[in-house]
């Protein structure tokens, strides 16, 4: 499973 | 950062500027749901307070400050400066039907069971449905000023552009954010009816009117 994003989106 | 996300963010920025322009030039917040605007303040505060502990970029921080500041300013305009033009009797959506399920969902679906992550999830879920009081109001009145529809269109386009952004990021960076993607697809879906009327009527120069 690809890693989750680091909340870098707005 | 990719073009889809940048254009999406700019569309979001534009939507708020359009809304401010509408309120300031008409000196009225008629047709705007106070409840939706209040929900956006809750969304931005819950999500963007990470300004204080997570630095991503100047762009990211500046946008967060702008979204928190402008949404609070809009509430101030609606609640105080242009209060007489705000008609709560047509803004009747029960927001507890949104807040409670979003709170429960965020306790179940989050990336880490800690307050900041739960708040992040909550803000994502809440953002996906925050437009409902506004759409409900539109449905009730059956029509809207053109500028109000431009605001809604820009807001919807912002969400729609995040979808190709996620697809792009999946293939180029190999990352996927299931919570944001699921909520984002739901959020974009809520605009489909509106988009249909907007593109077939407003952009053809006709008035935004819903069938009776």
């Amino acid at each position: 499973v690809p890693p989750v994003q680091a909340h870098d989106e707005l | 950062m990719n073009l889809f996300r940048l254009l999406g963010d700019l569309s979001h920025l534009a939507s708020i500027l359009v809304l401010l322009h509408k309120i300031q030039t008409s000196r009225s917040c008629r047709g705007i749901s106070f409840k939706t605007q209040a929900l956006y303040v809750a969304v931005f505060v819950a999500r963007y307070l990470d300004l204080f502990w997570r630095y991503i970029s100047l762009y990211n921080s500046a946008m967060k400050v702008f979204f928190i500041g402008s949404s609070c300013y809009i509430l101030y305009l609606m609640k105080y400066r242009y209060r007489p033009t705000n008609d709560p009797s047509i803004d009747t959506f029960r927001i507890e039907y949104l807040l409670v399920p979003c709170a429960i969902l965020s306790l179940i679906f989050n990336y880490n069971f800690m307050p900041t992550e739960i708040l992040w999830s909550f803000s994502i879920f809440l953002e996906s449905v925050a437009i409902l009081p506004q759409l409900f109001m539109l449905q009730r009145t059956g029509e809207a000023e053109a500028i109000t529809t431009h605001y809604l269109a820009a807001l919807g386009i912002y969400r729609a552009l995040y979808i190709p952004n996620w697809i792009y990021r999946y293939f180029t960076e190999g990352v996927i954010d299931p919570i944001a993607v699921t909520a984002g697809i739901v959020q974009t879906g809520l605009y489909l009816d509106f988009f249909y009327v907007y593109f077939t009527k407003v952009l053809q120069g006709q008035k935004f009117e819903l069938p009776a």
Side-chain angles (χ1 to χ4, degrees):
Chain A
V1 180
V4 151
Q5 292 173 18
H7 302 334
D8 59 350
E9 294 180 344
L10 286 163
Chain B
M1 178 58 75
N2 59 64
L3 194 61
F4 299 115
R5 187 145 56 114
L6 180 64
L7 291 177
D9 289 344
L10 292 179
S11 183
H12 194 188
L13 202 65
S15 75
I16 291 172
L17 296 177
V18 167
L19 179 58
L20 281 170
H21 178 77
K22 175 248 178 316
I23 295 174
Q24 306 277 24
T25 54
S26 68
R27 304 186 58 77
S28 157
C29 47
R30 195 169 69 92
I32 304 298
S33 164
F34 181 82
K35 289 180 176 175
T36 282
Q37 297 306 319
L39 290 176
Y40 280 130
V41 171
V43 165
F44 295 147
V45 169
R47 194 182 317 160
Y48 295 161
L49 278 184
D50 71 354
L51 264 172
F52 294 109
W53 65 85
R54 182 187 288 122
Y55 181 78
I56 290 159
S57 65
L58 182 62
Y59 168 85
N60 187 277
S61 299
M63 292 292 250
K64 285 173 174 173
V65 170
F66 175 81
F67 288 127
I68 292 177
S70 60
S71 62
C72 290
Y73 181 59
I74 288 167
L75 274 199
Y76 157 77
L77 290 177
M78 297 188 77
K79 199 76 197 166
Y80 298 99
R81 185 145 1 140
Y82 301 119
R83 188 188 186 95
T85 63
N86 177 27
D87 182 4
S89 71
I90 53 168
D91 192 11
T92 52
F93 196 93
R94 302 282 297 267
I95 55 171
E96 51 271 40
Y97 293 153
L98 304 178
L99 290 168
V100 174
C102 287
I104 294 170
L105 281 175
S106 65
L107 291 171
I108 302 171
F109 301 101
N110 54 67
Y111 293 133
N112 209 332
F113 199 77
M114 53 196 273
T116 54
E117 284 299 308
I118 292 168
L119 269 181
W120 180 86
S121 277
F122 175 70
S123 82
I124 292 288
F125 293 130
L126 190 60
E127 185 190 348
S128 71
V129 291
I131 199 65
L132 285 176
Q134 177 68 61
L135 293 177
F136 188 68
M137 192 165 155
L138 213 61
Q139 197 75 248
R140 272 192 67 153
T141 53
E143 56 170 46
E145 295 168 74
I147 189 145
T148 304
T149 66
H150 298 326
Y151 159 67
L152 286 168
L155 207 52
I157 288 167
Y158 142 63
R159 285 322 300 191
L161 283 168
Y162 259 65
I163 294 175
N165 153 63
W166 291 320
I167 296 170
Y168 181 86
R169 295 193 77 177
Y170 175 75
F171 287 109
T172 57
E173 300 168 43
V175 293
I176 188 161
D177 184 335
I179 293 176
V181 170
T182 311
I185 291 171
V186 169
Q187 186 173 358
T188 308
L190 296 181
Y191 285 90
L192 292 179
D193 273 353
F194 167 81
F195 275 148
Y196 179 76
V197 181
Y198 183 75
F199 288 113
T200 58
K201 282 197 165 175
V202 180
L203 288 191
Q204 315 294 324
Q206 298 173 41
K207 197 172 159 48
F208 183 93
E209 268 178 325
L210 294 171

